[in-house]
Amino acid sequence: AVVSTQSGHYGRDSQPAMQQPGQPYVPQAGLSITIAQAVLNKSYTLIGSMDPYVRLKVGHNTYETFTHAGADKAPCWNKVYHCPLPNTHSVRTVSVEIFDERALTDDQRIAYAKIAVPQSVFEGHTLDEWFPLSGKLGEAKEGSINLIVSYTTMPMITLPYQRIHYPYAGVAPQHFTPRPPPEVSEADISTIKDMFPEVDKEVIRTVLESKHGNVEAAVAAILDIMDGTGQ
């Protein structure tokens, strides 16, 4: 895919920029985001399997993974992006969209999520969680996506009127084993269902998985979802 240097758009599976002679690395802090994998609840293709890829938006920059052809509802990308930030307050949320790549028609967006980056990440903690996805099935009903987020200093090449990220060797895990969504108990689902009878059980299950089975965190997340939808 073409890299647009003016818009800050980095194409699918983009290659690192080449260092120019005499041009030093400029250390710059930013978010290191690994788009690991997703578990989707529905296939939106009528023939064959979906070919999913992810579009990640961080501030004014947009990044896209490669397409995991034929992965359908269980894509795995394990793609690391280094997203420069001017300061720790400039970006506190990132957004992800999962698309099904189509050959003869426009690519179809099948799921999306807006993810808050907690203060703990900027204090050195690595966030490794499953986040619920929304889409045509409803709020938090499309499945979940596994992201690994940390705040780090990375070598950068800064050219005039360009913002090019430069992944350096050794950052990405060499032998990455995706973690499956954590198992949650039916008792915990029933407990939360009693508190929120209007919320679908599958939504509760997805949120519990994204919070590693932590009931209190799941309740807080459902309250946030309901506040955001005006319920």
Side-chain angles (χ1 to χ4, degrees):
V2 176
V3 178
S4 171
T5 56
Q6 296 298 322
S7 65
H9 185 273
Y10 304 95
R12 266 173 258 168
D13 206 22
S14 54
Q15 298 299 314
M18 298 302 292
Q19 183 182 10
Q20 301 298 318
Q23 188 173 43
Y25 289 120
V26 180
Q28 185 170 352
L31 292 175
S32 174
I33 301 177
T34 300
I35 302 173
Q37 62 176 332
V39 176
L40 304 173
N41 290 337
K42 180 178 178 179
S43 179
Y44 286 94
T45 185
L46 298 178
I47 301 175
S49 302
M50 293 192 298
D51 300 326
Y53 67 89
V54 175
R55 181 174 296 165
L56 167 70
K57 294 182 180 179
V58 182
H60 297 294
N61 288 342
T62 300
Y63 308 85
E64 287 182 356
T65 68
F66 62 90
T67 297
H68 191 169
D72 203 38
K73 297 189 295 181
C76 182
W77 300 280
N78 187 28
K79 186 67 181 177
V80 183
Y81 290 102
H82 302 288
C83 313
L85 302 179
N87 55 66
T88 59
H89 305 289
S90 59
V91 172
R92 285 308 176 105
T93 60
V94 301
S95 66
V96 293
E97 299 173 290
I98 299 181
F99 288 82
D100 177 22
E101 185 174 12
R102 304 291 179 87
L104 302 178
T105 61
D106 292 340
D107 296 350
Q108 179 184 6
R109 188 176 78 159
I110 55 179
Y112 60 88
K114 189 173 183 180
I115 298 163
V117 181
Q119 176 62 30
S120 59
V121 168
F122 297 98
E123 295 172 352
H125 175 72
T126 296
L127 181 69
D128 183 355
E129 286 193 16
W130 288 83
F131 299 94
L133 294 164
S134 302
K136 290 182 178 180
L137 294 180
E139 190 80 20
K141 290 185 178 181
E142 290 288 353
S144 56
I145 187 169
N146 181 207
L147 300 183
I148 304 169
V149 184
S150 62
Y151 185 69
T152 185
T153 300
M154 61 200 76
M156 298 289 299
I157 296 177
T158 304
L159 302 176
Y161 309 111
Q162 294 179 323
R163 300 176 67 184
I164 301 175
H165 71 294
Y166 191 90
Y168 54 102
V171 173
Q174 298 302 309
H175 301 286
F176 178 80
T177 302
R179 296 189 303 113
E183 293 185 4
V184 298
S185 71
E186 293 298 325
D188 288 342
I189 293 175
S190 296
T191 298
I192 298 177
K193 180 66 175 176
D194 291 340
M195 299 172 63
F196 304 99
E198 70 278 20
V199 179
D200 188 271
K201 275 194 172 184
E202 288 307 309
V203 174
I204 295 173
R205 183 186 302 277
T206 300
V207 174
L208 264 174
E209 289 175 348
S210 74
K211 299 303 178 182
H212 302 286
N214 186 314
V215 174
E216 291 185 3
V219 169
I222 291 173
L223 286 171
D224 288 342
I225 291 173
M226 295 179 69
D227 289 343
T229 56
Q231 297 183 23

